[in-house]
């Protein structure tokens, strides 16, 4: 038994790489986004609000990133039956909106990236593009959204990474 464990976290340079890769994908799909990158503790490292993105997505994208970093899971995976209760228990800082993705390499959560202003599928695609800027990052291709968000995604279908 030890009193210390290994930990890793994104640096500012890593956060900026993630942000820039996510912006490139948002430009490619033609959907302006708010994009947040946080470290392991959910602290904001990098943020960009693209021209034409939704002002309300500033807060939701930051909350998506914090939720993903602190839970170690993509946002949108909690069942709709519990999302309001969990949100209230976390003083409205937890969200089940699709588009937050932990950045996990070799079993270590390094932080998270989240996007907002598009559909859930667009937000997740932009977050995945950001995470992909970190070599070896898990893309969570088997992630299945289960929340109440109306994103045009049929409940129970899998959001797959673009090949």
């Amino acid at each position: 038994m030890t009193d210390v464990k290994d930990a890793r976290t994104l640096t500012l340079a890593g956060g900026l790489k993630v942000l820039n890769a996510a912006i490139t994908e948002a430009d490619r799909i033609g959907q302006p986004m708010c994009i947040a990158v946080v470290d392991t503790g959910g602290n904001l490292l990098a943020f960009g609000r693209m021209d034409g993105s939704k002002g309300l997505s500033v807060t939701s994208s930051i909350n998506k990133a914090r939720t993903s970093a602190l839970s170690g899971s993509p946002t949108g995976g909690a069942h709709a039956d519990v999302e309001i209760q969990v949100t209230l228990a976390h003083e409205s800082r937890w969200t089940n909106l699709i588009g937050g993705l932990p950045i996990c390499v070799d079993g270590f959560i390094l932080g998270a990236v989240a996007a907002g202003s598009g559909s859930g599928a667009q937000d997740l695609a932009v977050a995945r593009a950001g995470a992909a800027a970190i070599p070896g990052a898990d893309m969570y291709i088997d992630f299945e959204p289960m929340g109440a968000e109306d994103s045009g995604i049929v409940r129970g279908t899998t959001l797959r990474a673009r090949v």
Side-chain angles (χ1 to χ4, degrees), residues 17-147:
K17 279 177 63 174
V18 170
L19 176 63
N20 288 324
I23 289 170
T24 298
E25 178 65 7
D27 278 337
R28 189 191 72 74
I29 66 172
Q31 178 60 57
M33 296 273 180
C34 292
I35 302 162
V37 182
V38 299
D39 66 14
T40 306
N43 303 298
L44 192 61
L45 280 175
F47 181 83
R49 179 174 181 228
M50 297 172 67
D51 295 340
S53 64
K54 298 173 185 170
L56 289 174
S57 295
V58 170
T59 300
S60 64
S61 62
I62 293 169
N63 283 343
K64 288 178 193 183
R66 284 185 180 141
T67 298
S68 286
L70 296 174
S71 70
S73 301
T75 58
H79 195 277
D81 294 346
V82 299
E83 63 185 16
I84 296 299
Q85 294 91 335
V86 176
T87 299
L88 292 173
H90 290 89
E91 299 176 343
S92 298
R93 297 186 66 161
W94 178 91
T95 185
N96 200 37
L97 294 172
I98 297 168
L101 193 71
I103 300 172
C104 182
V105 176
D106 297 330
F108 288 91
I109 302 293
L110 307 179
V113 57
S117 281
S119 68
Q122 288 173 320
D123 293 353
L124 183 59
V126 169
R128 279 189 173 133
I134 302 300
D138 187 343
M139 293 293 105
Y140 297 88
I141 60 169
D142 293 329
F143 166 68
E144 294 186 32
M146 297 176 62

